[in-house]
Amino acid sequence: MSEKEKKKNEEIRIGFFQCHCGVNIAGSVDVKEVVEYAKKLPNVVVAKDHMFLCSDPGRNLVKEAIKKYNLNRVVSSHCTPSLHQETFRTVLKEAGLNPFFHENVNSREHASWVHYRDKKKATDKVKVLVAGGIERVKHHKPIGTMRLKVKKSVLVIGGGPAGIQAALDLGKAGYKVYLVDRRPHLGGNMARLGKVFPTDDCPICILGKKFHELRQVKEIEVITYAEVKELSGYVGNYKVKIEKKPRYVDEEKCIGCLTCVSKCPVRVKSEWYEGMDVRPAIYINYPAQFPRIPVRDPEACINCGVCKKVCPADAIDFDQKPETIELEVGAIIVATGYEEWKPYAVEEYGYGKYKNVITQLELAQMLNPEGPTHGKPFKPSDARYDKKKRKLVIEGEPPKKYVFIHCVGSRDEKYFSYCSKICCMYSIKHAKMILMDVDPNAEIYLCYMDIRAFSKGYEEYYKQVQKLGARIVRGKPAEIREDPKTKKLYVKVEDTLLGKPIEIEADLVVLASTLRPSKGTKELADILRITTGEDGFLRELHPKVGPVDTVTAGIFIAGAASGPKDIPESVAQGSAAAARAMSLLGKGEVEIILNKAEVNQELCIGCGICETLCPYGAIKVHETHLGRKAKVSEVECQGCGACAGGCPTGAVMRRNYELDQMFAQIEGILRSAKEIFKDEPIVLAFACKQCAYAASEAAGTSRLEYPPNVFIIRIPCSGTIDIAHVLKAFKEGADVVYVGGCEPGSCAFVDGNLKAEKRIQFAKRLLDAIGIGGDRLEIFWIPAPESMKFAEVAKMMVERAKKLGPTPLRKAKAVKEVI
Amino acid sequence: MAEKERRKDVNTENRDMLISIIKKLAKKEVDKIEIPLTFYGFGRVKYDANKCVACLKCYENCPTKAYDAVRLFDLSTVKNADIESLWWKRGIIFQLIRELAQKDLEGYVEVPEGLRGYGRVEHNEELCISCSKCADLCPTKALTFENEINMSLWFKGGKEE
């Protein structure tokens, strides 16, 4: 140690605080022993414990100790950083220290909750983690903040119930709102339904009222038939490019008389009515639509020009071109909703093969009073398009016997493992609608796996339909067969309550098919730099405490875009997202913490590798008077650290995850682990805080046990991992090292996980080549909810460490010590 | 094959013609000719693999695509490197590799596609038009531009008419 370093070290005064968390930690960790251990570590001036460190007295204890002992570093050992790191950073701030002079040791989720059967080992593990934290905090540096002016305007994407609600809440609060919809009108899927549960009111009436309000609030600008194409900028100052498709009708001039629609001679299948009805080439989708302006379909149009002739306002313009609109907004709300999966793949049900097998959304169209048959269900085998009358004609008896099949595609490992949540309720609603409004004598069978009627008033709704005479069969139909002559269907199902197979005759079989994210969700997510989950829906920042937030600051989600939701929930989320946007923009400026990338100008050689690694274009090489140097745009940088992990010279650093800080933590943990765990295997894990670390937290919450020899270091993204970290870990005595990242496609920072994979792949080959062995290093995809996988991987890697034995390095050292 | 595909738009016709004219005019075979400084179009590039950090700037920016990216990391560069003279983190990594190594540092480690920072490039002199762009861009001075023409390449094989 040089003289200078020694002096610097002496100046560091660390306070250590261990929380009991009631019995949550103290029940399976010897808190006093940890405190005694910490006291002996260099630079620790004071070590104390407290029953509830996060409580007022607990926080005061820390604050007073900072003053009394003149501390300049604090390590607190309690629950996971995602819960209380912020709390203690604030304590430091209040005591006059930079908040980043704090380090959080996770002694609850990583020790007391997962090793509760072995108090000795749990205590040992906490000691090791504390040693790592104390070593690390010595190298912490202050991190500043910056203030940014924000625009008080919001872009809402998607004009369904969630988007409309968000726009109204924001508009009424005085924010400028741009409400954009891909369709030529607002309303979303809601506008396609006849009735909506649980109150069975008419969606058009509800929407009509909302449309009226939208017209009243002058801050809201509705842009329909338009899609988001590009996003640049950063929180509070986004620039969005929107492409407005040509409608071929001048929106300013059109008076909504619909003469053109009635005179158009063309008829093609209507997408809105799932191909069951026809529409003209210039059309509106539903009579109450907003805005009430027709759209011309240039592919169907025969260019006869009748519409032009009859239009009293001279609004029709065949020469319209796509138009690009540029908006500047402070925040974005994504409410792009869902679409129904067409279950062609479920061959046993014959959808697409048997005409009279339809989906629930198609039945909803039949039951819609504005639909093709004005609310009367029919057998598609009876429907025929009459060229003379230019409309749909139904010949034959209306259906009498219905079979509804729940969970088609959803909750099925073959297709989609998730529950589509609202299908039970809309199937029940359709049964009720048929029995009440169409035919009280209809025979309706509902074949279900489990009925999920969970919200307020839903159970009563379900009871009602049972009273009305719907027959509920618990069992998943195995097969549907059609009589080719009569077109009657026969549904084979084992009634699991009766325990015997039955066959039900049906005129119409209706499948409650899976709800999928609406088309283009993934593309939009990529444009907006937000993430989707394994199910394809947009991913919320936190399922419990961040349900409408995303990984990108200033971008929120609402409604079914993040998973199937009913209307009440979508509306609530619309309001929630609006409130989040308001709390962000309300003050007119935001504070950004600069825990982001930084470039050491002396070390930077301007090679531009960082440029190729940054998914946000936030780091760029510029010509300076010192030569080519990389520069970080601190507002655009999201702090993933992918640049730092790939920088060949070490010039680029992710603040708070700098190389010396990481090395110190690795050293601290492994030195202490070698001393305490002696000849037991030592496994070091680097876990991305979005996924693998979150899974480790979940493993803690679920008390999933795994061996205590696994020590976890939290990193902002698996892309932060540096080959140097891995090599250092082996050098310091780790037997096995692994990295936990997000599943490909769901990285919070676009593809940090894939960057990590490449580095690990290379490091594995390198370790093979130098005789350490590449199988001592792995990378795993451990999504946040998969706590089981986290525990299994931990077990597996400890097993591997046992099998491989200590590294040659550790073995050599051990021999030396013995001699 | 991929390299061929990458180079399909590269056109050095004029330069080839120039070289063939020089060859025809030549009264004797010359080995090397020194050329004036900042006289671009002639001259040669020298590559020092020990300095290279495989950022691939040359590979990406070469107008005639004269560079191949070689996805092999030569362990002997670790062995032979003067740690003190290396860039900070690279020095740390090389030092760690040396300390961890259980055998002699020899041979190559395959670098995954898309991983920069490890590996090297290969310069195809017959494709080079000596524009010196690579040497200008090279952040570690692994590529340097020398003001001399390697005539021998023209006369011995290399570019044929």
Side-chain angles (χ1 to χ4, degrees), chain A residues 80-84 108-109 531 538-552 555-557 562 565 573 576 580 689-691 693-695 697-698 701 714 748 784-785:
Chain A
T80 175
S82 41
L83 275 171
H84 277 308
R108 195 177 73 179
E109 278 82 350
T531 50
L538 296 179
R539 212 161 58 146
E540 52 283 75
L541 185 64
H542 191 284
K544 279 185 290 227
V545 294
V548 298
D549 289 28
T550 66
V551 288
T552 307
I555 301 189
F556 307 99
I557 41 181
S562 59
K565 281 177 195 69
Q573 281 214 330
R580 295 287 297 124
K689 72 172 180 189
Q690 322 286 338
C691 51
Y693 198 92
E697 291 168 349
T701 319
R714 186 175 185 249

Coordinates of all heavy atoms in Angstrom, one line a residue, chain A residues 80-84 108-109 531 538-552 555-557 562 565 573 576 580 689-691 693-695 697-698 701 714 748 784-785:
Chain A
T80 N -33.6 -6.3 1.3 CA -33.0 -6.1 0.0 C -33.0 -4.6 -0.4 O -33.8 -3.8 0.0 CB -33.8 -6.9 -1.1 OG1 -33.3 -6.6 -2.3 CG2 -35.3 -6.6 -1.0
P81 N -32.0 -4.2 -1.2 CA -31.8 -2.8 -1.6 C -33.1 -2.2 -2.3 O -33.4 -1.0 -2.2 CB -30.7 -2.8 -2.6 CG -30.0 -4.1 -2.5 CD -30.9 -5.0 -1.7
S82 N -33.8 -3.1 -3.0 CA -35.0 -2.5 -3.7 C -36.0 -2.0 -2.7 O -36.9 -1.3 -3.1 CB -35.6 -3.5 -4.7 OG -35.6 -4.8 -4.2
L83 N -36.0 -2.5 -1.4 CA -36.9 -1.9 -0.4 C -36.4 -0.7 0.3 O -37.0 0.3 0.3 CB -37.2 -3.0 0.6 CG -38.3 -4.0 0.2 CD1 -38.4 -5.2 1.2 CD2 -39.7 -3.3 0.1
H84 N -35.2 -0.8 0.9 CA -34.8 0.2 1.8 C -33.5 0.9 1.5 O -33.0 1.7 2.3 CB -34.8 -0.3 3.3 CG -36.2 -0.2 3.9 ND1 -36.9 0.9 3.8 CD2 -36.9 -1.1 4.5 CE1 -38.1 0.7 4.4 NE2 -38.2 -0.6 4.8
R108 N -31.5 -10.3 4.8 CA -32.8 -11.0 5.0 C -33.1 -11.9 3.8 O -33.1 -13.1 3.9 CB -33.9 -9.9 5.1 CG -35.2 -10.5 5.7 CD -36.3 -9.4 5.9 NE -36.8 -9.0 4.6 CZ -37.8 -8.1 4.4 NH1 -38.3 -7.5 5.5 NH2 -38.2 -7.8 3.3
E109 N -33.3 -11.4 2.6 CA -33.7 -12.2 1.5 C -32.5 -13.2 1.1 O -32.8 -14.2 0.6 CB -34.0 -11.3 0.2 CG -35.4 -10.8 0.2 CD -35.6 -9.6 1.1 OE1 -34.7 -9.2 1.8 OE2 -36.7 -8.9 1.0
T531 N -40.0 -2.8 -22.3 CA -39.8 -4.3 -22.4 C -41.1 -5.0 -22.4 O -42.1 -4.6 -21.9 CB -38.9 -4.8 -21.3 OG1 -39.5 -4.3 -20.0 CG2 -37.5 -4.3 -21.4
L538 N -46.7 -6.0 -22.5 CA -45.7 -5.0 -21.9 C -45.4 -5.3 -20.5 O -46.3 -5.8 -19.8 CB -46.3 -3.6 -22.1 CG -46.5 -3.1 -23.5 CD1 -47.1 -1.7 -23.5 CD2 -45.2 -3.2 -24.3
R539 N -44.2 -5.1 -20.1 CA -43.8 -5.4 -18.7 C -43.8 -4.2 -17.8 O -43.3 -3.2 -18.2 CB -42.5 -6.1 -18.7 CG -42.4 -7.1 -17.5 CD -41.3 -8.1 -17.8 NE -40.1 -7.3 -17.9 CZ -38.9 -7.8 -17.4 NH1 -38.9 -9.0 -16.9 NH2 -37.8 -7.1 -17.6
E540 N -44.5 -4.3 -16.7 CA -44.5 -3.2 -15.7 C -43.2 -3.2 -14.9 O -42.6 -4.3 -14.8 CB -45.8 -3.3 -14.8 CG -46.0 -4.6 -14.1 CD -46.7 -5.7 -14.9 OE1 -45.9 -6.3 -15.8 OE2 -47.8 -6.0 -14.8
L541 N -42.9 -2.1 -14.4 CA -41.6 -2.0 -13.6 C -41.7 -2.9 -12.4 O -40.7 -3.6 -12.1 CB -41.4 -0.5 -13.1 CG -40.1 -0.3 -12.5 CD1 -39.0 -0.5 -13.4 CD2 -40.1 1.1 -11.9
H542 N -42.8 -3.0 -11.7 CA -42.9 -3.9 -10.6 C -44.4 -4.3 -10.5 O -45.3 -3.4 -10.6 CB -42.5 -3.2 -9.3 CG -42.4 -4.1 -8.2 ND1 -43.5 -4.6 -7.5 CD2 -41.3 -4.7 -7.6 CE1 -43.0 -5.4 -6.6 NE2 -41.7 -5.5 -6.6
P543 N -44.6 -5.6 -10.5 CA -46.0 -6.0 -10.5 C -46.9 -5.5 -9.4 O -48.1 -5.4 -9.5 CB -45.9 -7.6 -10.5 CG -44.5 -7.9 -10.1 CD -43.7 -6.7 -10.4
K544 N -46.2 -5.2 -8.2 CA -47.0 -4.7 -7.1 C -46.9 -3.2 -6.9 O -47.9 -2.5 -6.9 CB -46.6 -5.4 -5.8 CG -47.2 -6.8 -5.6 CD -46.8 -7.4 -4.3 CE -45.4 -7.7 -4.3 NZ -45.0 -9.0 -3.8
V545 N -45.7 -2.7 -6.8 CA -45.6 -1.3 -6.5 C -45.3 -0.4 -7.7 O -45.1 0.8 -7.5 CB -44.6 -1.1 -5.3 CG1 -45.1 -1.7 -4.1 CG2 -43.2 -1.7 -5.7
G546 N -45.2 -1.0 -8.9 CA -45.0 -0.1 -10.0 C -45.9 -0.6 -11.2 O -45.3 -0.9 -12.3
P547 N -47.2 -0.8 -11.0 CA -48.0 -1.5 -12.0 C -48.2 -0.7 -13.3 O -48.5 -1.4 -14.3 CB -49.3 -1.7 -11.3 CG -49.4 -0.7 -10.2 CD -48.0 -0.4 -9.8
V548 N -48.0 0.6 -13.3 CA -48.1 1.3 -14.5 C -46.8 2.0 -15.0 O -46.8 2.7 -16.0 CB -49.3 2.4 -14.5 CG1 -50.6 1.7 -14.2 CG2 -49.0 3.4 -13.4
D549 N -45.8 1.7 -14.3 CA -44.5 2.3 -14.6 C -43.7 1.3 -15.6 O -44.0 0.1 -15.6 CB -43.6 2.5 -13.4 CG -44.1 3.7 -12.6 OD1 -45.3 3.9 -12.7 OD2 -43.3 4.3 -11.9
T550 N -42.8 1.8 -16.3 CA -41.9 0.9 -17.1 C -40.5 1.2 -16.8 O -40.2 2.1 -16.0 CB -42.1 1.2 -18.6 OG1 -41.6 2.5 -18.9 CG2 -43.6 1.1 -19.0
V551 N -39.6 0.4 -17.4 CA -38.2 0.6 -17.1 C -37.7 2.0 -17.6 O -36.6 2.5 -17.2 CB -37.3 -0.5 -17.8 CG1 -37.4 -1.7 -17.0 CG2 -37.6 -0.6 -19.2
T552 N -38.4 2.6 -18.6 CA -38.0 3.9 -19.1 C -38.7 5.0 -18.3 O -39.9 5.0 -18.3 CB -38.2 4.0 -20.6 OG1 -37.6 2.8 -21.2 CG2 -37.6 5.2 -21.2
I555 N -42.3 6.9 -19.3 CA -43.2 6.1 -20.1 C -44.0 5.1 -19.2 O -43.4 4.4 -18.4 CB -42.4 5.3 -21.2 CG1 -41.6 6.3 -22.0 CG2 -43.3 4.5 -22.0 CD1 -41.0 5.8 -23.3
F556 N -45.3 5.2 -19.3 CA -46.2 4.5 -18.4 C -47.1 3.6 -19.3 O -47.3 3.8 -20.5 CB -47.0 5.4 -17.6 CG -46.2 6.4 -16.8 CD1 -46.1 7.7 -17.3 CD2 -45.6 6.1 -15.7 CE1 -45.3 8.7 -16.7 CE2 -44.8 7.0 -15.0 CZ -44.6 8.3 -15.5
I557 N -47.6 2.5 -18.6 CA -48.5 1.7 -19.4 C -49.9 1.6 -18.6 O -49.9 1.7 -17.4 CB -48.0 0.2 -19.5 CG1 -47.3 -0.2 -18.3 CG2 -47.1 0.2 -20.7 CD1 -46.7 -1.6 -18.4
S562 N -50.6 -4.5 -20.7 CA -49.7 -5.2 -19.9 C -50.3 -6.5 -19.4 O -49.7 -7.2 -18.5 CB -49.3 -4.3 -18.7 OG -50.5 -4.0 -17.9
K565 N -57.2 -7.4 -19.1 CA -57.9 -6.7 -18.0 C -59.3 -6.4 -18.3 O -59.6 -6.2 -19.5 CB -57.1 -5.4 -17.6 CG -55.9 -5.6 -16.8 CD -55.2 -4.3 -16.6 CE -53.8 -4.6 -16.1 NZ -52.9 -5.2 -17.1
Q573 N -56.5 1.9 -14.3 CA -55.1 2.0 -14.7 C -54.8 3.2 -15.5 O -53.8 3.9 -15.4 CB -54.6 0.8 -15.4 CG -54.3 -0.4 -14.5 CD -53.2 -1.3 -15.0 OE1 -53.0 -1.4 -16.2 NE2 -52.4 -1.8 -14.1
A576 N -54.5 5.9 -13.1 CA -53.2 5.7 -12.4 C -52.1 6.2 -13.3 O -51.2 7.0 -12.8 CB -53.0 4.2 -12.1
R580 N -49.5 9.3 -12.5 CA -48.0 9.1 -12.5 C -47.4 10.1 -13.4 O -46.4 10.7 -13.1 CB -47.6 7.7 -12.9 CG -48.1 6.6 -12.0 CD -47.2 6.5 -10.7 NE -45.9 6.2 -11.0 CZ -44.8 7.0 -10.6 NH1 -45.1 8.1 -9.9 NH2 -43.6 6.7 -10.9
K689 N -30.3 -6.8 -11.4 CA -31.3 -6.4 -10.5 C -32.7 -6.5 -11.0 O -33.7 -6.5 -10.3 CB -31.0 -5.0 -9.9 CG -31.2 -3.9 -10.8 CD -31.1 -2.6 -10.0 CE -31.3 -1.4 -10.9 NZ -31.0 -0.1 -10.3
Q690 N -32.8 -6.5 -12.4 CA -34.2 -6.5 -13.0 C -34.8 -7.9 -12.9 O -36.0 -8.1 -12.8 CB -34.1 -6.2 -14.4 CG -33.2 -5.1 -14.8 CD -33.7 -3.7 -14.4 OE1 -34.9 -3.6 -14.2 NE2 -32.8 -2.8 -14.2
C691 N -33.9 -8.9 -12.9 CA -34.4 -10.3 -13.1 C -33.8 -11.2 -12.0 O -34.5 -11.6 -11.1 CB -34.2 -10.8 -14.5 SG -32.5 -10.7 -15.0
Y693 N -31.7 -10.9 -9.7 CA -31.6 -10.5 -8.3 C -33.1 -10.4 -7.7 O -33.3 -10.8 -6.6 CB -31.0 -9.1 -8.2 CG -30.6 -8.7 -6.8 CD1 -29.3 -9.0 -6.3 CD2 -31.4 -8.1 -5.9 CE1 -28.9 -8.8 -5.0 CE2 -31.1 -7.9 -4.6 CZ -29.8 -8.2 -4.1 OH -29.4 -7.9 -2.9
A694 N -34.0 -10.0 -8.6 CA -35.4 -9.9 -8.2 C -35.9 -11.3 -7.9 O -36.6 -11.6 -6.9 CB -36.2 -9.3 -9.3
A695 N -35.4 -12.3 -8.6 CA -35.8 -13.7 -8.4 C -35.2 -14.2 -7.0 O -35.8 -14.9 -6.3 CB -35.3 -14.6 -9.5
E697 N -34.7 -12.3 -4.5 CA -35.6 -11.6 -3.5 C -36.9 -12.5 -3.3 O -37.3 -12.8 -2.2 CB -36.0 -10.2 -3.9 CG -34.9 -9.2 -3.9 CD -35.3 -7.9 -4.6 OE1 -36.3 -7.9 -5.3 OE2 -34.5 -7.0 -4.5
A698 N -37.4 -12.9 -4.5 CA -38.6 -13.7 -4.4 C -38.3 -15.1 -3.8 O -39.2 -15.6 -3.0 CB -39.2 -14.0 -5.8
T701 N -38.5 -14.3 -0.1 CA -39.9 -14.2 0.3 C -40.6 -15.5 0.4 O -41.4 -15.8 1.3 CB -40.7 -13.3 -0.7 OG1 -39.8 -12.2 -1.1 CG2 -41.9 -12.7 -0.1
R714 N -25.1 -7.6 -6.7 CA -26.1 -7.0 -7.5 C -25.5 -6.1 -8.5 O -24.7 -5.2 -8.2 CB -27.0 -6.2 -6.5 CG -28.3 -5.6 -7.1 CD -29.0 -5.0 -5.9 NE -30.3 -4.5 -6.2 CZ -30.6 -3.2 -6.2 NH1 -29.6 -2.3 -6.0 NH2 -31.8 -2.8 -6.5
A748 N -34.2 -5.3 -19.7 CA -34.7 -4.0 -19.5 C -33.9 -2.9 -20.3 O -34.4 -1.8 -20.5 CB -34.6 -3.7 -18.0
A784 N -37.5 -12.5 -13.3 CA -37.8 -12.1 -12.0 C -38.8 -13.0 -11.2 O -38.6 -13.2 -10.0 CB -38.3 -10.7 -12.0
P785 N -39.9 -13.5 -11.9 CA -40.8 -14.3 -11.1 C -40.3 -15.7 -10.8 O -40.9 -16.4 -10.0 CB -42.1 -14.4 -11.9 CG -41.7 -13.7 -13.2 CD -40.3 -13.4 -13.2

